[in-house]
Amino acid sequence: METGHDIRDAIARRDRSAEEVTRAALDAIGRVEPSLRAYITLLPERAMAKAREVDAKIAKGEAIGKLAGVPTAVKDLFCLKDALTTCGSKILANFKPPFSSTVVQRLDAADAVIVGKTNMDEFAMGSSCENSAFFPTHNPYDLEGVPGGSSGGSASTVGARSVPLAVGTDTGGSIREPASFCNIVGVKPTYGRVSRYGMIAFASSLDQAGPMTADVRDAADLLGAIAGFDPMDSTSVDVPVPDYGAGLRDDLKGVRIGIVRDFEESIAVDPKMAKLYKDAYEDLAKLGATFVDVTLPHAKYGLATYYLIAPAECSSNLARYDGTRYGVRKDGDADVYAMFDKTRTAGFGDEVKRRIILGTYALCSGYYDAYYVRAQKVRTLMKNDFDAAFAACDVIACPAVSCPPFELGAKSDPVAMYLMDYFTIPMSLAGIPAMSVPGGFVDGLPVGLQICAPAFEEARMLAVAHAYEQATRHADKLQPVVS
Amino acid sequence: MADVPIDIAYISRLARISLTGEESSRFSGQFVRLFDFIRELQALDVSGVHATAQVIPLSNVMREDELKPCLTQDEALANAPAREGPFFKAPRILE
């Protein structure tokens, strides 16, 4: 598998031109796109112009960025100046932002070549990429299967090896779960590590952008390029960004890994999944890690807490879609309240409506304290659980998902879909960094191992994931069915 | 409690979303199941626990009040579904 760092090094050595690499990536995407449908919008002209700019810099002997010439996809919720940015919704089907998100600006500054905007569950709500208002995306290892959500398009195109780098966002697991389903690396950084400026909001206290990549070194390089303080985002944290690539290691001597007893009990109900994770922990032990039992006693309340906090924030954030300033307006001649209603009723899909209604309810006078405030208090307890666990270990290893990729349409019940995020939601509520790294296969389909670390300790997490990846090489053991 | 406490007609009106009868009854059924989870929170003792609105202890993020570049009027209006001169155009609110 060709990684982003291989491509960048080959371009820097002048073995290949960025233009040649970009054309090859666009060809690869074009070949598989009829089967995968990973992109909402392709940007071939922009990509070729950027590639030529990189080649010109090299020809003149100028310094090039850390991602120079590397084909990169971005989820369709990152504003990209003058390019369609739909957030997977009909209500934004015509939206062309007048500015670019900080993530896009930083990718441009690192000389990455942005090839297109990837498909996603509408407003990032979903765990299968079937809630896109436009079309579902398919899993590159099983075309009947889902790629996971909500960053399913980003996961699918990297999993198909069309591009080595993509950016996704994770609110309750939307980077880690699709990374697991598509045999790639997916990193949710610490909340506040990557700027949310220009990222279309779902649940503001949870949303965080992060890398979805061919390998851990690519994730380290991409995170290094997009992380760091941004005065345009008041939740961005001014903490130095280390050289993540320099901290990667090949063994785990002296590393104490926490195993969450509560999670092990949950995964034990599926013997195949339990066996996969047992093998993964044995691989970590062979690398020199020692294990510590930890507990997250409030993790079982994660779903309930998340499904109050996230919808509450979404009902507030999505109030801006009323047909006045941007987006698709319905029935413009009616009175203004009828216009709001008709626009939102026609513009939002089922899942978005369901969450707006749930969130509006949770914020209603009379219920606010009983539901929303109580959920925020449980969030504190969950954060305290992680603090106690990390007092005893350096990182936590646990399942990323409870099952391998499932078939499109197999989980039509939303509550069954919500259960998908059982192992990823607690980390989101606590705001800590967490990632999925290819961990093996169940019934021939990929499953990820989740590693998480204390806040702002992404370097430690990536170092552990790198040692595991180099020893096991699961991503190389299965070829996508499309290429 | 088997029934869902949400008055869906009232809440959807607050949210400015119209639901069909079929949607209302489908959502009701789903909310009943979801509230089975949500009610688990009521069993927890959270007295004396502070509420975490967001996990990073940042507050009062300020900057100097300096003029900075911003969108032009045309850029800000470029996505308007309807405009009239330098304004967003919307249905009349006041008679």
Side-chain angles (χ1 to χ4, degrees), chain A residues 228-474:
Chain A
F229 177 64
D230 177 16
M232 299 298 279
D233 172 6
S234 64
T235 59
S236 166
V237 181
D238 198 358
V239 173
V241 178
D243 181 344
Y244 296 116
L248 301 182
R249 49 189 288 183
D250 290 323
D251 71 74
L252 297 175
K253 290 188 185 76
V255 177
R256 296 166 306 159
I257 296 181
I259 301 294
V260 185
R261 203 182 315 134
D262 322 67
F263 285 174
E264 294 308 298
E265 287 165 12
S266 301
I267 204 78
V269 297
D270 183 335
K272 287 179 183 171
M273 293 293 287
K275 167 81 165 61
L276 181 137
Y277 286 112
K278 186 167 168 284
D279 291 348
Y281 304 152
E282 278 172 14
D283 288 331
L284 293 168
K286 281 183 208 152
L287 290 162
T290 53
F291 293 101
V292 186
D293 258 3
V294 296
T295 60
L296 299 174
H298 297 93
K300 63 182 173 210
Y301 301 106
L303 281 172
T305 307
Y306 180 85
Y307 281 101
L308 285 169
I309 291 175
E313 294 183 11
C314 113
S315 75
S316 171
N317 274 323
L318 272 57
R320 72 190 63 167
Y321 302 102
D322 57 15
T324 308
R325 289 152 299 158
Y326 39 70
V328 175
R329 177 187 290 189
K330 292 285 177 198
D331 208 28
D333 295 330
D335 77 75
V336 74
Y337 294 112
M339 180 188 89
F340 293 168
D341 192 298
K342 285 185 164 34
T343 295
R344 292 163 64 79
T345 299
F348 291 137
D350 246 25
E351 185 59 34
V352 174
K353 287 176 181 167
R354 189 159 35 238
R355 294 199 198 190
I356 288 175
I357 288 169
L358 186 60
T360 303
Y361 172 75
L363 293 177
C364 266
S365 161
Y367 303 113
Y368 177 82
D369 286 326
Y371 291 117
Y372 182 66
V373 175
R374 177 167 280 264
Q376 286 189 321
K377 290 182 176 179
V378 180
R379 187 176 188 180
T380 306
L381 297 175
M382 219 167 289
K383 194 166 178 294
N384 294 346
D385 287 351
F386 277 107
D387 289 345
F390 285 125
C393 64
D394 302 307
V395 298
I396 287 172
C398 62
V401 290
S402 55
C403 63
F406 50 89
E407 285 192 5
L408 287 146
K411 289 190 195 289
S412 53
D413 169 32
V415 179
M417 194 74 90
Y418 296 165
L419 289 166
M420 289 294 306
D421 299 334
Y422 181 80
F423 296 117
T424 53
I425 277 177
M427 298 77 181
S428 298
L429 289 166
I432 60 170
M435 65 184 288
S436 177
V437 57
F441 307 93
V442 165
D443 298 331
L445 291 170
V447 171
L449 170 69
Q450 186 171 204
I451 316 266
C452 38
F456 298 104
E457 296 292 347
E458 286 90 353
R460 191 192 294 178
M461 173 180 87
L462 288 162
V464 171
H466 184 261
Y468 175 77
E469 170 194 72
Q470 294 303 305
T472 57
R473 300 267 184 189
H474 289 303

Side-chain angles (χ1 to χ4, degrees), chain A residues 9-25:
Chain A
D9 292 347
I11 290 172
R13 283 195 310 267
R14 301 192 186 207
D15 289 349
R16 301 169 72 185
S17 70
E19 200 173 336
E20 178 190 328
V21 166
T22 302
R23 194 166 290 121

Side-chain angles (χ1 to χ4, degrees), chain A residues 39-355:
Chain A
Y39 289 85
I40 293 178
T41 304
L42 283 167
L43 301 166
E45 290 88 15
R46 188 185 197 276
M48 291 308 293
K50 182 68 187 180
R52 282 191 284 270
E53 184 191 315
V54 171
D55 287 335
K57 276 190 189 179
I58 292 171
K60 284 189 242 164
E62 291 174 14
I64 53 168
K66 186 115 186 162
L67 307 176
V70 183
T72 304
V74 296
K75 189 174 182 176
D76 202 23
L77 58 60
F78 291 98
C79 286
L80 201 158
K81 191 174 179 344
D82 300 328
L84 205 57
T85 298
T86 71
C87 211
S89 182
K90 278 195 283 188
I91 212 163
L92 285 175
N94 59 359
F95 179 58
K96 290 186 173 173
F99 67 101
S100 284
S101 60
T102 296
V103 163
V104 164
Q105 290 177 37
R106 289 185 177 177
L107 289 173
D108 284 340
D111 286 327
V113 172
I114 297 175
V115 296
K117 312 283 298 292
T118 54
N119 196 21
M120 56 181 287
D121 286 308
E122 183 177 5
F123 284 102
M125 298 176 195
S127 306
S128 67
C129 213
E130 292 166 295
N131 290 337
S132 164
F134 305 110
F135 43 80
T137 294
H138 298 251
N139 189 304
Y141 294 87
D142 171 14
L143 293 175
E144 302 298 312
V146 302
S150 64
S151 309
S154 290
S156 180
T157 188
V158 176
R161 315 304 182 208
S162 306
V163 295
L165 307 183
V167 188
T169 64
D170 190 309
T171 304
S174 282
I175 285 176
R176 291 163 282 163
E177 186 241 12
S180 170
F181 280 12
C182 292
N183 205 22
I184 66 167
V185 174
V187 176
K188 183 200 89 73
T190 310
Y191 180 81
R193 184 57 115 174
V194 178
S195 171
R196 294 184 301 108
Y197 176 70
M199 208 173 105
I200 295 174
F202 157 21
S204 302
S205 80
L206 296 157
D207 298 341
Q208 185 61 200
M212 304 180 75
T213 59
D215 74 353
V216 175
R217 183 167 292 281
D218 274 351
D221 290 346
L222 179 50
L223 182 60
I226 62 175
F229 177 64
D230 177 16
M232 299 298 279
D233 172 6
S234 64
T235 59
S236 166
V237 181
D238 198 358
V239 173
V241 178
D243 181 344
Y244 296 116
L248 301 182
R249 49 189 288 183
D250 290 323
D251 71 74
L252 297 175
K253 290 188 185 76
V255 177
R256 296 166 306 159
I257 296 181
I259 301 294
V260 185
R261 203 182 315 134
D262 322 67
F263 285 174
E264 294 308 298
E265 287 165 12
S266 301
I267 204 78
V269 297
D270 183 335
K272 287 179 183 171
M273 293 293 287
K275 167 81 165 61
L276 181 137
Y277 286 112
K278 186 167 168 284
D279 291 348
Y281 304 152
E282 278 172 14
D283 288 331
L284 293 168
K286 281 183 208 152
L287 290 162
T290 53
F291 293 101
V292 186
D293 258 3
V294 296
T295 60
L296 299 174
H298 297 93
K300 63 182 173 210
Y301 301 106
L303 281 172
T305 307
Y306 180 85
Y307 281 101
L308 285 169
I309 291 175
E313 294 183 11
C314 113
S315 75
S316 171
N317 274 323
L318 272 57
R320 72 190 63 167
Y321 302 102
D322 57 15
T324 308
R325 289 152 299 158
Y326 39 70
V328 175
R329 177 187 290 189
K330 292 285 177 198
D331 208 28
D333 295 330
D335 77 75
V336 74
Y337 294 112
M339 180 188 89
F340 293 168
D341 192 298
K342 285 185 164 34
T343 295
R344 292 163 64 79
T345 299
F348 291 137
D350 246 25
E351 185 59 34
V352 174
K353 287 176 181 167
R354 189 159 35 238
R355 294 199 198 190

Side-chain angles (χ1 to χ4, degrees), chain A residues 95-96 191 205 234 237 301 304 308 323-327 329 332 334 336-337 339 341 344-345 350 354 357-358 361 364 370-371 374 376-377 379-380 383 413-415 418-419 429-431, chain B residues 5-6 11-12 14-19 23 26-27 30-31 33-35 37-38 40-42 44 46 49-56 58 61 71 75 79-82 88-89 91 93:
Chain A
F95 179 58
K96 290 186 173 173
Y191 180 81
S205 80
S234 64
V237 181
Y301 301 106
L308 285 169
T324 308
R325 289 152 299 158
Y326 39 70
R329 177 187 290 189
V336 74
Y337 294 112
M339 180 188 89
D341 192 298
R344 292 163 64 79
T345 299
D350 246 25
R354 189 159 35 238
I357 288 169
L358 186 60
Y361 172 75
C364 266
Y371 291 117
R374 177 167 280 264
Q376 286 189 321
K377 290 182 176 179
R379 187 176 188 180
T380 306
K383 194 166 178 294
D413 169 32
V415 179
Y418 296 165
L419 289 166
L429 289 166
Chain B
I6 294 187
I11 301 291
S12 62
L14 288 181
R16 308 264 181 230
I17 289 170
S18 294
L19 298 179
E23 284 171 329
R26 184 155 44 87
F27 284 7
Q30 290 158 349
F31 288 143
R33 299 195 43 222
L34 201 49
F35 269 78
F37 289 112
I38 288 172
E40 291 174 3
L41 298 185
Q42 310 300 326
L44 275 171
V46 291
V49 178
H50 78 272
T52 295
Q54 65 118 323
V55 286
I56 303 300
L58 289 174
V61 177
L71 297 180
E75 285 170 332
N79 281 283
F88 292 100
K89 190 176 180 185
I93 296 171

